[in-house]
Amino acid sequence: MRKIMFLGVLLSILISCGGSGNKRGNDRGMIIPERKPKNLAPTRPIGMVPIPSGSFVMGQTDYDFAQQQNATPKTVSVSAFYMDDTEITNAEYQVFVNYVRDSIVRQLLAERAYEMGYDGTQGGSDGSGIASFAFKNQSKDGQRSAYEEYIDEVSDGRSGYESERMLNWDIPIEWDKYKYPDRDYVEVMESIYYAPEDRFNNERLIDVRKLNYIFAEVDKNKAARAHGTDATRSEFVNIDTVNIYPDTTVWVRDFHYAYNDPLHNDYFWNAAYLDYPVVGVTWDQARAFCAFRTDKHKTYNDSKKRNKEDVIIYRLPTEVEWEYAARGGQENMPYPWGGPYLQDSRGCYLANFKPRRGDYIEDCCAKTKKPGFIYAAPVRTFFPNDFGLYDMSGNVAEWTQSPYNSASSEFTGTMNPYLGSGMDTGVKTVKGGSWKDVGYMLMVGARDWEHKDSARSFIGFRTVQTIPEGANVRFNRTRVRTN
């Protein structure tokens, strides 16, 4: 009896000292963090370069020929970030378009399979019919879990659980209409193509109006203003549905009385233009691309059993980040390569722009020593700046995250200045100048704007990732070549 009492007392002492589920064992009644800090060395995304934090004088510090009052000089500080070394290309944006296309097809096939009674346990791997595309069974033992059964019951299009049903990406989509496995598959596939009466020369093409991407963002400014109120979390979540296919008609619409039809037909999909910057995208389409890129990176990290790394969101750069990066660490210089000239010592041009009235072709490209281009040029055609960034001036102008206000420098702060969504009037700041602009617009301090729902043949974008303070990142500097 005494032994039993002794064991009971000893057990109660052990529970009181080392219980509460603490993974470190005996915490002696003290607070011991359950998570160890990670090494602050985020993986550098492919195609991005690190931009160190720093302070600089933003705006037109010298050559303000047009007396642009909306570019008043101002000293500001900027946190470190990763930035794409080039504009997003047609090839990169096609990855986005193809993903949206494939996910829509798989969703439609999975929903039809579900309506027919397939739950992922029948015919899920033989590729013999529409049953192969049923929502994936996520249980390890082959049986549907209680959670999956619950999701199926409540996923009626209104519950918010629809995204929990996992699509089956293991089975390749059959695109050959003569190899469709069954009638239900045929009916689903035909629904994503243009109807016969809308086809040109009987060409069977996917209806790009159906290529919509759904993503959610939190309006942090609205949440901050509602602090202390009874507002629910859902009031700050914006769910957007964006058609993501580029508007190829911009080549015709932007320039009246100019024969740009070949670019309308070929610029986005022809293999000759894969390394050209994507254009014809609105600000919202660029933002949707950022959301897709973040989700794609997270999905990959979640699939790894070890060394999972938190993914920092991809986003558009703010106007200040863009200008800071474009300067390449140089102070009081008008162009990414320094200045004050647009040509090197041999008379070759340093960017893709409109050098003279009616003349869109640079006589000589400083890097290739060949004649330039009438329209956009392939990325990396001209020399990078000292941060290793290409085409920060010329080629295509670029969307930024920042709302446009002509007097923003007068009332924004000096630490990562940004107007925020509360000042968004539907007009966004555009930087860098383009292939159709004169040299003045190539100045890093020059400012331009565009309505965020507008697509242009001369506006593209690139993305950034914030680097956490104190992160162990090696910042390289490359000296720009102008001779």
Side-chain angles (χ1 to χ4, degrees), residues 192-228:
I192 69 168
Y193 288 89
Y194 283 108
E197 60 270 19
D198 291 331
R199 296 175 186 175
F200 179 70
N201 287 337
N202 203 30
E203 197 172 11
R204 190 165 174 267
L205 298 174
I206 290 177
D207 187 348
V208 296
R209 296 170 298 182
K210 297 182 179 181
L211 299 182
N212 297 321
Y213 184 70
I214 303 173
F215 63 103
E217 286 185 335
V218 177
D219 189 336
K220 302 177 183 62
N221 286 279
K222 184 177 179 181
R225 292 194 299 270
H227 180 69

Side-chain angles (χ1 to χ4, degrees), residues 436-474:
K436 62 98 183 161
D437 288 316
V438 296
Y440 174 78
M441 294 307 299
L442 272 61
M443 292 183 175
V444 291
R447 306 180 72 209
D448 204 353
W449 57 271
E450 186 55 80
H451 295 281
K452 67 179 184 180
D453 58 355
S454 295
R456 297 294 186 185
S457 60
F458 45 84
I459 298 180
F461 69 99
R462 68 181 80 205
T463 68
V464 299
Q465 265 190 339
T466 300
I467 296 177
E469 292 287 333
N472 183 20
V473 176
R474 181 178 180 180

Side-chain angles (χ1 to χ4, degrees), residues 212-215 239-243:
N212 297 321
Y213 184 70
I214 303 173
F215 63 103
I239 299 178
D240 291 324
T241 301
V242 177
N243 183 272

Side-chain angles (χ1 to χ4, degrees), residues 252-364:
V252 178
R253 191 175 63 248
D254 284 348
F255 304 97
H256 299 293
Y257 309 112
Y259 184 69
N260 293 332
D261 294 31
L263 292 164
H264 162 66
N265 296 331
D266 300 329
Y267 185 83
F268 182 59
W269 276 114
N270 193 300
Y273 293 100
L274 288 178
D275 285 337
Y276 284 63
V278 66
V279 296
V281 291
T282 66
W283 183 82
D284 281 324
Q285 287 175 321
R287 189 166 56 94
F289 179 89
C290 294
F292 160 72
R293 193 172 184 181
T294 302
D295 185 66
K296 181 177 174 61
H297 199 163
K298 285 182 178 179
T299 300
Y300 172 80
N301 280 12
D302 290 344
S303 68
K304 312 303 286 186
K305 295 182 179 180
R306 296 181 180 179
N307 299 324
K308 288 187 178 181
E309 181 181 308
D310 295 334
V311 176
I312 303 169
I313 65 168
Y314 295 84
R315 58 179 175 81
L316 294 174
T318 65
E319 177 185 2
V320 177
E321 287 174 331
W322 191 99
E323 183 174 332
Y324 174 65
R327 291 181 180 275
Q330 301 190 62
E331 284 287 346
N332 301 324
M333 292 295 184
Y335 302 107
W337 52 85
Y341 305 112
L342 293 164
Q343 297 168 285
D344 65 7
S345 59
R346 296 181 180 89
C348 294
Y349 285 96
L350 296 163
N352 180 21
F353 70 109
K354 179 182 177 181
R356 289 175 291 274
R357 183 186 298 273
D359 184 357
Y360 291 85
I361 306 176
E362 299 80 28
D363 298 329
C364 171

Side-chain angles (χ1 to χ4, degrees), residues 12-244:
S12 65
I13 293 175
L14 290 174
I15 292 175
S16 64
C17 293
S20 303
N22 192 289
K23 296 181 180 179
R24 294 178 179 241
N26 188 357
D27 60 9
R28 294 177 293 171
M30 302 180 189
I31 299 297
I32 299 178
E34 295 184 0
R35 298 180 62 193
K36 294 181 179 180
K38 293 182 179 180
N39 179 25
L40 288 178
T43 301
R44 185 176 78 173
I46 295 174
M48 283 187 156
V49 296
I51 310 299
S53 59
S55 301
F56 77 108
V57 179
M58 82 173 221
Q60 292 287 32
T61 56
D62 232 343
Y63 304 87
D64 191 7
F65 303 120
Q67 297 297 310
Q68 214 177 11
Q69 299 301 319
N70 63 357
T72 304
K74 178 180 182 178
T75 301
V76 297
S77 297
V78 183
S79 299
F81 55 94
Y82 288 114
M83 186 178 225
D84 291 319
D85 62 352
T86 71
E87 299 110 340
I88 297 300
T89 63
N90 284 324
E92 291 171 321
Y93 199 84
Q94 285 174 19
V95 174
F96 182 31
V97 172
N98 290 337
Y99 168 82
V100 173
R101 177 201 64 191
D102 292 354
S103 62
I104 289 173
V105 170
R106 292 183 185 278
Q107 180 72 26
L108 293 173
L109 291 171
E111 290 175 352
R112 177 61 63 88
Y114 178 74
E115 292 172 1
M116 298 172 66
Y118 297 110
D119 59 4
T121 61
Q122 311 101 324
S125 60
D126 59 6
S128 60
I130 199 170
S132 302
F133 293 89
F135 291 110
K136 198 168 185 178
N137 185 354
Q138 302 176 53
S139 301
K140 295 180 180 180
D141 58 2
Q143 300 296 320
R144 295 184 71 75
S145 66
Y147 183 74
E148 287 180 296
E149 292 178 356
Y150 173 75
I151 295 303
D152 285 340
E153 291 176 4
V154 300
S155 292
D156 55 3
R158 299 181 300 274
S159 63
Y161 281 101
E162 294 76 21
S163 61
E164 294 284 343
R165 300 191 296 181
M166 184 177 292
L167 297 177
N168 185 0
W169 289 84
D170 299 332
I171 307 300
I173 297 174
E174 179 56 69
W175 294 101
D176 189 340
K177 62 183 178 181
Y178 296 110
K179 295 181 180 180
Y180 290 163
D182 52 49
R183 180 178 176 80
D184 291 287
Y185 191 98
V186 172
E187 187 173 342
V188 169
M189 293 299 288
E190 282 299 292
S191 69
I192 69 168
Y193 288 89
Y194 283 108
E197 60 270 19
D198 291 331
R199 296 175 186 175
F200 179 70
N201 287 337
N202 203 30
E203 197 172 11
R204 190 165 174 267
L205 298 174
I206 290 177
D207 187 348
V208 296
R209 296 170 298 182
K210 297 182 179 181
L211 299 182
N212 297 321
Y213 184 70
I214 303 173
F215 63 103
E217 286 185 335
V218 177
D219 189 336
K220 302 177 183 62
N221 286 279
K222 184 177 179 181
R225 292 194 299 270
H227 180 69
T229 67
D230 295 331
T232 61
R233 189 178 186 185
S234 61
E235 295 181 42
F236 313 127
V237 178
N238 298 323
I239 299 178
D240 291 324
T241 301
V242 177
N243 183 272
I244 52 88

